Amino acid sequence: MSQRVPLSVLDLAPASEGLGRRAALDDALSLAVLAEGVGYRRYWMAEHHGSQTFMSSATSLLLGRAAEHTSTIRLGAGGVMLPNHSPLMVAEYYGTLATIYGSRFDLGLGRAPGTDPVTATALRRGSAQISDFAADVASLLTYLAPTEVNSDNRLSGAEAAALGIQPSPAQLHARVRAIPGEGTRIPLWMLGSSTGGAQVAATLGLPYSFASHFAPKYLAQALHVYRTHFDATAPTAQVSEPYVMAGINMLVAPTQSEADELFTSYQMMKARLRRGSAGPLMRPQKTHLIDRGNSVLDPTAYVGPPERIVDEIDVFVDTYDLDEVIVTSYAWDPALRRRSYQLLAEAWHA
């Protein structure tokens, strides 16, 4: 068999009923350390706000914590919901991380709010129109690019403000710079769950990560758009040819029966969200087992022993000609959640 594509981890720092929010954040750190140890290529965190289930609202802070306890795994945002932020501040935050910890950060960028409309308003969210989003991505790339040495040593205003000096306008430079940030060239990825993100990724020449872990029915169409329209000559291009990563949900356990039971925590969470309520992951319950053939389950939710799941992912990779797979797993018990990732990695690399 040819060499398998890399596996990466997507984490939302889920909270578990009865264990508390601090535990969820500590468990996220433990997962990052495990992911590095068992051979995952990346550990990404997804930005969500106002959630009772997911604690990954301040992703840059959590990734900095992960960087303190790891040394080789790539760390990144999967993603930063760019309309929630100023491109300058994103460049400063992640540029600071890269300046401290080196060139192992990724910036996955998305247009979705990662929350409800009320919270999105509180975030002072900007435009998510494709044209505005593409312009923000281009600005972010500019901020992260190198700046010519001594090209403009006039005041930025920050130095003057720190010392209480009132400079004249002629003393201030007119160009905005991200410091730290400029020159770090942090790789950008485009995220998507529809064809919109695929078109932006293609036009800008960026690698593309598709959220097939929750929008699998749009995967084939989005990849066709991305690969058909990919422009390697774009000034913003970061890869010379299309590069695709796609996501799956998985729950791996030694036996099918145990995996099915543990997966009920995810099933109950999804059913509860459909009813309009939310909360931490619930304990698994056999009485809530849902048949895997039921349409409630996503086609990319792979549940079972490691050998079976590896075979299913192999088929997934071959079907869509993927370059990488990013996996997410939910279990009420954080130790069993980590075991799920570990069993998959061991079988994948065997």
Side-chain angles (χ1 to χ4, degrees):
M1 188 190 72
S2 60
Q3 185 177 6
R4 288 191 168 108
V5 302
L7 287 183
S8 293
V9 170
L10 177 64
D11 190 13
L12 285 73
S16 295
E17 188 176 53
L19 300 184
R21 295 172 180 175
R22 170 62 187 268
L25 299 177
D26 290 344
D27 293 331
L29 174 61
S30 297
L31 177 57
V33 173
L34 172 79
E36 178 174 84
V38 297
Y40 285 94
R41 172 169 286 188
R42 310 173 203 275
Y43 172 83
W44 280 12
M45 299 199 79
E47 175 187 334
H48 290 272
H49 299 278
S51 172
Q52 298 181 57
T53 310
F54 308 124
M55 300 296 107
S56 55
S57 56
T59 49
S60 59
L61 295 180
L62 297 178
L63 291 171
R65 189 185 189 201
E68 287 283 353
H69 295 83
T70 59
S71 58
T72 58
I73 193 169
R74 295 199 63 80
L75 302 169
V80 166
M81 300 297 105
L82 195 52
N84 293 344
H85 309 276
S86 154
L88 174 61
M89 293 194 72
V90 174
E92 290 175 338
Y93 285 6
Y94 284 87
T96 298
L97 289 173
T99 301
I100 297 172
Y101 302 109
S103 57
R104 58 188 180 104
F105 287 88
D106 302 316
L107 259 174
L109 305 173
R111 292 188 298 135
T115 189
D116 57 86
V118 175
T119 306
T121 300
L123 288 167
R124 299 182 179 180
R125 182 172 168 79
S127 170
Q129 295 296 318
I130 288 180
S131 58
D132 297 327
F133 177 68
D136 281 349
V137 174
S139 295
L140 181 55
L141 281 166
T142 300
Y143 290 138
L144 296 172
T147 297
E148 291 183 17
V149 178
N150 297 325
S151 61
D152 189 350
N153 285 327
R154 287 181 294 171
L155 291 175
S156 67
E159 298 92 342
L163 298 178
I165 297 172
Q166 297 294 325
S168 70
Q171 293 176 304
L172 298 175
H173 67 65
R175 187 169 54 84
V176 177
R177 298 171 64 181
I179 305 174
E182 61 182 23
T184 54
R185 292 188 181 275
I186 299 171
L188 267 55
W189 286 69
M190 189 58 54
L191 310 185
S193 57
S194 67
T195 58
Q199 185 63 61
V200 175
T203 300
L204 298 180
L206 301 179
Y208 183 48
S209 182
F210 189 82
S212 42
H213 57 294
F214 66 78
K217 67 180 180 178
Y218 300 111
L219 176 58
Q221 183 181 3
L223 295 191
H224 175 74
V225 169
Y226 173 62
R227 288 168 172 150
T228 301
H229 298 283
F230 183 83
D231 184 4
T233 67
T236 52
Q238 296 202 342
V239 287
S240 59
E241 59 185 20
Y243 188 97
V244 174
M245 176 163 64
I248 63 168
N249 285 313
M250 62 85 182
L251 198 296
V252 180
T255 66
Q256 185 67 53
S257 60
E258 183 182 2
D260 285 340
E261 181 176 348
L262 294 176
F263 195 63
T264 59
S265 295
Y266 170 82
Q267 293 171 327
M268 289 186 288
M269 173 182 69
K270 198 166 184 180
R272 185 169 55 187
L273 289 172
R274 283 199 171 95
R275 295 194 302 268
S277 61
L281 286 172
M282 298 172 67
R283 294 174 183 269
Q285 298 181 31
K286 289 184 179 180
T287 56
H288 284 75
L289 283 174
I290 300 174
D291 182 77
R292 281 177 54 77
N294 191 300
S295 60
V296 170
L297 287 181
D298 292 336
T300 46
Y302 299 148
V303 180
E307 296 78 12
R308 171 182 173 175
I309 302 309
V310 162
D311 289 342
E312 291 182 349
I313 297 177
D314 277 335
V315 172
F316 180 59
V317 169
D318 291 342
T319 299
Y320 296 102
D321 191 21
L322 302 177
D323 300 292
E324 195 167 336
V325 175
I326 189 164
V327 299
T328 189
S329 188
Y330 298 97
W332 174 83
D333 185 334
L336 297 182
R337 177 170 168 257
R338 290 193 296 273
R339 185 189 67 176
S340 178
Y341 285 103
Q342 181 168 357
L343 289 174
L344 176 59
E346 291 172 350
W348 189 254
H349 297 127

